[in-house]
Amino acid sequence: MKVGDRQYRTIWVAGDGRTVEIIDQTELPHEFVTRRLTTLEDAAAAIREMRVRGAPLIGATAAYGVCLALQDDASDRRLDTARQTLLATRPTAVNLRWALDDMAARLKPLAPAARVDAAYARAAEICDDDVAVSRAIGEHGARLIDEAWAKGGREAPVNLLTHCNAGWLATIDWGTALAAVYVAHDAGVPVHVWVNETRPRNQGAGLTAWELGRHGVPHTVIVDSAGGHLMQRGKVDLCITGTDRTTARGDVCNKIGTYLKALAAGDNGVPFYVALPHTSIDWSLDDGVAGVPIEERDPAEVTTVVGRADDGSIVAVRVTPEGSAAANFAFDVTPARLVTGLITERGVCPASREGLLSLYPERGGDAGPQMAAPGNDDKTG
Amino acid sequence: MKVGDRQYRTIWVAGDGRTVEIIDQTELPHEFVTRRLTTLEDAAAAIREMRVRGAPLIGATAAYGVCLALQDDASDRRLDTARQTLLATRPTAVNLRWALDDMAARLKPLAPAARVDAAYARAAEICDDDVAVSRAIGEHGARLIDEAWAKGGREAPVNLLTHCNAGWLATIDWGTALAAVYVAHDAGVPVHVWVNETRPRNQGAGLTAWELGRHGVPHTVIVDSAGGHLMQRGKVDLCITGTDRTTARGDVCNKIGTYLKALAAGDNGVPFYVALPHTSIDWSLDDGVAGVPIEERDPAEVTTVVGRADDGSIVAVRVTPEGSAAANFAFDVTPARLVTGLITERGVCPASREGLLSLYPERGGDAGPQMAAPGNDDKTG
């Protein structure tokens, strides 16, 4: 997507064909800083310190971390070290493990001398595949936006509401929920996005607003509490969010607060869509409320807010009294009954087992949830 | 309520019997500072700068502002000046106008020499009346909490969820929603309160958490998005909030986000109560969604967060990118169908016209909404 006049991905190989560049997301929205990764340790640190985040981007960064590790020493031992080092950065991220397993499986059979080039080729392929998946999600989602525009007589802009950041910063390019916005916007459909700030980490205020602003998409930041009022007053045409894990029957586990917006959408007849690549479907699980453990993160994310002070410095300020406890539940589960449809790279389907199987018939061989399929535990929002 | 070992109200006459003291709420939760008001202008500034806030407290401060104004000059002209000066501080606050009209009506017939003592007596009465109303609300609400405790076999603490600040800081003492918590706590019922931080002004994180902490009530601050998840997982026994305006049929206009919590309560079978003095009932209005205009406040409240930095200084930090617009809708409307009951100083009733008339039969003379009754436009959260 665009940053100013230039087209960016979240990760790319530098002009030297070897070092890797990333956008440092810890500096956003206040500074746009790119960083060069030249060693395995650089790549591991970028993931660990959340300079890169979002499941697909973490996987891609790990793949490039393997490339960087092998440059001087492409031995089996070095490959193992790289794998262990990178795996330890965010142990719950399924895409991280998947990317590392994939790289190892492809490189191990090769002679060490052939590994470096093969590694770079495969890492690039992982990125390109992700971009294609995101782009396809965007095209399917954009059709829904265009339909909403047509419904309004192709006059007023389509008002969307989104939560957290399911944009290109969480992937390699395009994003998931925001891919639909970008495809529609680029095709000339007038869109306006209500951006939930998404406490406590403010990924909406900090990342989604930044993305949309740089790409020129009209948007307005609101507090997470405002969506219900906006829907009640007819100011939202449709909601689109991402998801961290979707169960086989269409329950959606996403950033805390998604459930409340889905309730408001249901109460006001506003369509509520969830955009996802197939890799976020957990075919082993049906009941999201009963089955998905909700990560509790550091309460300091609730009690303190990080932002830019008037003097330009980045400061953390405490908003609660000394002595008051805080709790930080990172995700919630939106039951499938509240989800109008799932937008995947293969199309849009109802949020149900039948709906998902209509797009992924190869999963239909089993009577019930499959225990063998990999779940997606990635909580990397 | 208690602050440390000492019992406080939000406003009181100092030992000299003339000057007035307040808790400076702009310093909370980081510092507990009391300020002395010695002149009319002190009182006006305290209201204008929101050192005092909350409809009843604003009214009481205005009443004492009249007292202070009359000390050196109790003429009619001075009384008029005081009224005009105080009325201009927060022009939408109905309690402010009510208190000033009440003071003028009582003082004007008196000889100037008798006015000062009468003014102080009436201001004290206004405060005492408010405390009695709040205390009565607390007693009715505490019975609901006790019932929830009994339902759980009087074992585990009762988990309540509240939004914004409907505590003693918004009134003279006790509060409305939190009055129920204090009465129950003081009676030995174990309570734990989930405190919504209440973006954008953080009255939950800053004021409710502070109040509860000083009075020794166990509580945990959460982001506004977390309530749905907590209710889904059985971690909330009942919700109690305040209200800025309640329509004749029981629609509730309260701090933005209240509606979303009520939806989640309904979806999970959690009782959702709203506590209010009769003065917040707008008998002239039925349909809250159609009839209550929602105040839009300064977007800067959304884009910047004020808190305490590590060095102890109070700093405002920006959380959004430059160039991103923000919108700040201050209130939303919770339809009566989502409200389990209204807790008033006369008891608990269903959120309906019939329910309210059962407690306020003197309002039953009219077939429809009464246009003559004063609405409560006070948006002073």
Side-chain angles (χ1 to χ4, degrees), chain A residues 88-126:
Chain A
T89 53
R90 301 278 313 263
T92 56
V94 160
N95 286 55
L96 177 60
R97 180 179 292 273
W98 172 84
L100 291 167
D101 287 351
D102 179 89
M103 293 294 280
R106 284 163 193 265
L107 300 177
K108 278 244 167 114
L110 304 181
R115 285 176 178 172
V116 173
D117 285 350
Y120 276 96
R122 179 57 188 156
E125 206 169 49
I126 287 172

Side-chain angles (χ1 to χ4, degrees), chain B:
Chain B
M1 295 293 102
K2 277 190 282 190
V3 178
D5 292 333
R6 214 183 122 180
Q7 204 76 22
Y8 277 90
R9 286 185 174 186
T10 50
I11 189 166
W12 63 95
V13 175
D16 63 11
R18 281 294 177 251
T19 58
V20 175
E21 294 196 279
I22 58 163
I23 298 166
D24 186 344
Q25 299 192 25
T26 62
E27 302 275 357
L28 293 175
H30 305 295
E31 299 287 349
F32 179 72
V33 177
T34 63
R35 296 206 186 273
R36 188 165 288 206
L37 313 178
T38 57
T39 65
L40 165 64
E41 188 39 49
D42 287 350
I47 300 170
R48 195 185 308 119
E49 294 159 12
M50 294 183 73
R51 300 186 192 285
V52 291
R53 43 156 289 282
L57 176 54
I58 287 174
T61 307
Y64 277 117
V66 171
C67 300
L68 295 170
L70 299 185
Q71 284 183 106
D72 299 328
D73 171 5
S75 67
D76 281 13
R77 221 181 105 189
R78 180 68 175 156
L79 193 54
D80 287 342
T81 306
R83 192 174 174 285
Q84 291 310 320
T85 301
L86 289 161
L87 204 53
T89 54
R90 302 276 315 262
T92 58
V94 161
N95 287 55
L96 176 60
R97 180 178 293 272
W98 173 85
L100 290 167
D101 287 351
D102 179 270
M103 293 293 281
R106 286 163 192 265
L107 299 177
K108 279 245 168 111
L110 304 182
R115 285 175 178 171
V116 173
D117 285 351
Y120 277 95
R122 180 55 189 157
E125 206 168 49
I126 286 173
C127 290
D128 289 345
D129 286 354
D130 187 71
V131 174
V133 163
S134 291
R135 171 80 204 187
I137 291 170
E139 280 167 5
H140 295 302
R143 271 195 290 277
L144 298 171
I145 297 174
D146 188 57
E147 282 165 22
W149 190 39
K151 202 175 152 192
R154 299 198 188 277
E155 285 178 8
V158 180
N159 282 296
L160 295 125
L161 183 139
T162 193
H163 193 60
C164 199
N165 176 258
W168 69 276
L169 290 174
T171 62
I172 309 304
D173 204 356
W174 294 102
T176 54
L178 294 190
V181 171
Y182 293 125
V183 172
H185 172 84
D186 290 357
V189 177
V191 292
H192 166 261
V193 183
W194 296 108
V195 178
N196 288 336
E197 62 176 350
T198 318
R199 286 279 292 145
R201 289 179 63 90
N202 286 332
Q203 295 97 330
L207 301 179
T208 297
W210 182 85
E211 275 194 21
L212 293 172
R214 296 301 83 70
H215 200 75
V217 180
H219 64 282
T220 305
V221 179
I222 51 173
V223 295
D224 300 318
S225 282
H229 167 70
L230 292 172
M231 291 189 236
Q232 216 173 33
R233 305 274 165 141
K235 291 174 193 282
V236 179
D237 296 305
L238 73 166
C239 303
I240 310 184
T241 74
T243 167
D244 286 79
R245 181 164 14 172
T246 306
T247 72
R249 75 173 188 199
D251 290 350
V252 169
C253 181
N254 191 44
K255 186 62 54 197
I256 191 86
T258 303
Y259 168 48
L260 293 174
K261 305 319 168 299
L263 281 169
D267 200 43
N268 293 285
V270 175
F272 190 93
Y273 288 97
V274 176
L276 61 145
H278 74 275
T279 46
S280 89
I281 304 168
D282 183 348
W283 296 96
S284 74
L285 203 64
D286 256 344
D287 183 340
V289 175
V292 180
I294 299 298
E295 179 188 5
E296 280 197 61
R297 295 178 55 87
D298 186 350
E301 292 183 353
V302 174
T303 57
T304 60
V305 177
V306 177
R308 175 175 232 161
D310 273 349
D311 66 4
S313 61
I314 303 299
V315 181
V317 297
R318 187 178 173 95
V319 294
T320 54
E322 295 291 335
S324 283
N328 186 6
F329 304 93
F331 301 88
D332 63 21
V333 174
T334 301
R337 66 184 149 85
L338 298 172
V339 179
T340 308
L342 302 173
I343 308 168
T344 82
E345 75 279 9
R346 291 196 190 168
V348 181
C349 72
S352 65
R353 172 164 284 272
E354 298 68 36
L356 280 169
L357 288 177
S358 74
L359 294 182
Y360 300 94
E362 68 271 28
R363 289 292 181 163
D366 301 82
Q370 301 176 29
M371 296 312 295
N376 183 349
D377 284 305
D378 191 10
K379 304 299 185 200
T380 49

Side-chain angles (χ1 to χ4, degrees), chain A residues 324-343:
Chain A
S324 283
N328 186 6
F329 304 93
F331 302 88
D332 63 21
V333 174
T334 301
R337 67 184 150 85
L338 298 173
V339 179
T340 308
L342 301 173
I343 308 168

